[in-house]
Amino acid sequence: MALIVQKYGGTSVGSIDRIRNVANRIKSERDKGNKVVAVISAMGGVTDKLIALAKELSDDPTEREMDVLLSSGEQQSIALLSIALNEMGIDAVSATGRQAGIVTSGSHTRGRIDKIEPKLVNHFLSEDRTVIVAGFQGMTEDGMIHTLGRGGSDLSAIAVASSVKADLCQILTDVDGVYTADPRVVKKARKLPEISYDELLELASVGTKVMQSRSVEFAKKYGVKFEVKSSLNNNPGTIVTEEHEAMESVVIRGVSIERSQARVTITGIPDEPGMSGSILGALAKAEVNIDMIVSNIASDQLARHSFTMHTSDLGRAQSALKPVLADLGGDAGIETEAGIGKLSCVGIGMRSHSGVAAKMFEALGNAGINIGMISTSEIKISVTVEEDQIEEAARVVHTAFDLDA
Ligand code: ASP
Ligand code: MG
């Protein structure tokens, strides 16, 4: 007999039929003799609908009221799932964030979980009942409702699993695990049996959408091992866990792509202290999110800086840079280019293997794909290529690192 925490997302509880499907899945765990705490999201689309309703009344509703409003989505779904389970003869009870003892601090609409006091949940479990906990919400010490940021039910589930010392934590979702690449792009992508927290976090930062990153960070911090798997079938998913030695034998765990990137290059910058600071400072002030940065000195002794960003930020970046360019003087100029894609390889094996970048660049070169910018971190290498070559780039690199099924 095991204690299992399962998280079901909005799509998985998106209709009455799907709620019944989830109830059946929970029932089958109960039939095996396991205890279950399910943490669930609002029915798919409900959170967005509630936001839209508020926006009809005000452009700027207070965050306090948004928390009260949005948390109601999960309050509906926990009750509906409990009703479905009761109808099947399973003794299930719902618990809101407060009832589950999820204590938060920080600001409205982006609360932080400080601690969980699972007294009531443990009491229900001791009576052998199934507990359905509202994700995405908690309460401050002084009784204010908080939500945890979009996608926050993942965080609730990891935190609840940690607090009740679950034997197993499962994130049941509409993808059936973490893949070596997006299977829609790379047909030969494989589902990974396991991945480390850091690798999943790096992949998420470069476009792989599996779950909320904060929840993976939380899992890493508290050592919560979990499985990402489908809520629609019984295939094994992907275990997300601390890294261990055997993991390093795989050089690259996965590749990820991002589209719609743009590059801005500023030329003719005097080679003096403070220049990079004033350029990036202007972009930061305009809330332009910069990604890769490359700078070098041209033969005329003037510096050039290139950086990438999402194409939707390009206009804002250009207006923010206008006054900076004027300050830089007569030699300064700006070039922009949209239609760029970014390809990243991630793997903790990079730390102990050499020649990883060379292998990636050779594979791209052999395929006639030109590399624009390059950036690296301890477990990641990213390059930019023409956006219309990004899928081909992902496929050749996937093959080069023996990731193909
Ligand atoms: N219902 C919330 C959202 O849509 C929380 C979640 O689904 O995890 O963001
Ligand atoms: Mg959701």
Side-chain angles (χ1 to χ4, degrees):
M1 193 198 77
L3 171 56
I4 306 179
V5 170
Q6 294 188 319
K7 183 261 174 177
Y8 291 95
T11 312
S12 304
V13 295
S15 67
I16 289 299
D17 276 344
R18 292 202 168 172
I19 288 176
R20 266 198 209 102
N21 171 55
V22 167
N24 271 313
R25 293 187 71 110
I26 293 172
K27 180 174 187 301
S28 71
E29 290 301 338
R30 293 297 285 149
D31 291 346
K32 283 186 246 169
N34 294 322
K35 294 196 179 199
V36 179
V37 177
V39 177
I40 67 169
S41 295
M43 294 173 76
V46 165
T47 308
D48 288 327
K49 233 176 255 160
L50 292 170
I51 293 173
L53 285 175
K55 294 271 162 167
E56 278 186 43
L57 293 165
S58 164
D59 288 336
D60 191 21
T62 67
E63 293 186 325
R64 183 190 186 283
E65 296 316 324
M66 289 311 286
D67 274 349
V68 174
L69 180 65
L70 298 195
S71 60
S72 72
E74 272 71 10
Q75 195 161 329
Q76 286 178 6
S77 58
I78 54 171
L80 290 171
L81 179 57
S82 303
I83 291 167
L85 282 159
N86 292 338
E87 198 57 28
M88 289 173 187
I90 303 289
D91 183 5
V93 270
S94 62
T96 62
R98 189 196 72 81
Q99 290 172 327
I102 300 175
V103 180
T104 59
S105 65
S107 319
H108 278 295
T109 74
R110 46 190 176 278
R112 258 195 333 260
I113 297 182
D114 276 348
K115 60 180 172 192
I116 300 195
E117 289 158 348
K119 215 175 122 197
L120 185 66
V121 174
N122 283 334
H123 171 73
F124 287 146
L125 288 172
S126 73
E127 293 178 334
D128 204 26
R129 305 176 87 179
T130 295
V131 191
I132 312 298
V133 175
F136 180 52
Q137 57 175 267
M139 195 174 272
T140 62
E141 299 272 21
D142 48 10
M144 296 300 137
I145 295 176
H146 267 173
T147 59
L148 307 177
R150 296 307 304 269
S153 302
D154 289 334
L155 179 60
S156 310
I158 301 284
V160 166
S162 161
S163 79
V164 299
K165 301 185 178 60
D167 299 300
L168 184 63
C169 175
Q170 296 178 319
I171 306 291
L172 293 130
T173 170
D174 46 0
V175 297
D176 65 349
V178 184
Y179 280 75
T180 52
D182 182 344
R184 285 166 304 185
V185 172
V186 180
K187 292 275 167 313
K188 292 176 179 162
R190 279 182 297 117
K191 194 196 299 177
L192 290 162
E194 64 175 357
I195 188 169
S196 70
Y197 300 122
D198 286 334
E199 288 168 328
L200 185 56
L201 285 166
E202 285 282 16
L203 282 171
S205 77
V206 290
T208 301
K209 297 212 165 26
V210 176
M211 58 193 286
Q212 198 206 35
S213 286
R214 268 177 82 196
S215 54
V216 182
E217 279 157 14
F218 191 99
K220 180 184 173 189
K221 187 165 166 196
Y222 294 97
V224 180
K225 176 168 153 179
F226 61 93
E227 181 182 14
V228 178
K229 61 183 282 174
S230 169
S231 65
L232 301 169
N233 59 48
N234 287 313
N235 300 337
T238 301
I239 304 282
V240 185
T241 182
E242 239 158 68
E243 59 185 79
H244 53 80
E245 229 168 283
M247 276 183 167
E248 294 220 6
S249 62
V250 176
V251 184
I252 297 297
R253 191 81 51 204
V255 305
S256 187
I257 63 175
E258 289 165 280
R259 302 172 204 265
S260 304
Q261 305 294 303
R263 181 177 59 189
V264 173
T265 301
I266 300 183
T267 56
I269 307 167
D271 186 17
E272 289 162 17
M275 294 296 128
S276 309
S278 61
I279 293 168
L280 291 184
L283 292 170
K285 221 161 118 200
E287 295 188 17
V288 174
N289 215 338
I290 299 293
D291 184 18
M292 300 161 99
I293 305 176
V294 171
S295 94
N296 50 41
I297 307 281
S299 54
D300 54 9
Q301 297 308 309
L302 293 170
R304 44 191 298 146
H305 278 353
S306 300
F307 23 79
T308 61
M309 62 194 68
H310 195 270
T311 304
S312 59
D313 279 348
L314 190 52
R316 226 162 350 115
Q318 280 168 312
S319 357
L321 287 169
K322 246 193 210 133
V324 181
L325 276 166
D327 285 350
L328 289 177
D331 291 322
I334 183 168
E335 293 160 17
T336 60
E337 186 191 351
I340 291 175
K342 182 174 152 200
L343 171 70
S344 305
C345 289
V346 170
I348 55 170
M350 259 182 229
R351 294 191 199 122
S352 48
H353 291 78
S354 54
V356 181
K359 191 170 189 173
M360 177 179 179
F361 302 163
E362 269 165 29
L364 292 169
N366 291 340
I369 296 171
N370 196 35
I371 298 172
M373 293 163 76
I374 299 172
S375 75
T376 61
S377 78
E378 200 191 10
I379 64 166
K380 177 177 75 189
I381 304 171
S382 302
V383 299
T384 62
V385 303
E386 296 288 327
E387 188 166 2
D388 56 14
Q389 293 185 308
I390 190 71
E391 298 202 353
E392 177 65 8
R395 286 190 283 266
V396 300
V397 169
H398 196 267
T399 304
F401 285 105
D402 294 325
L403 294 174
D404 289 355

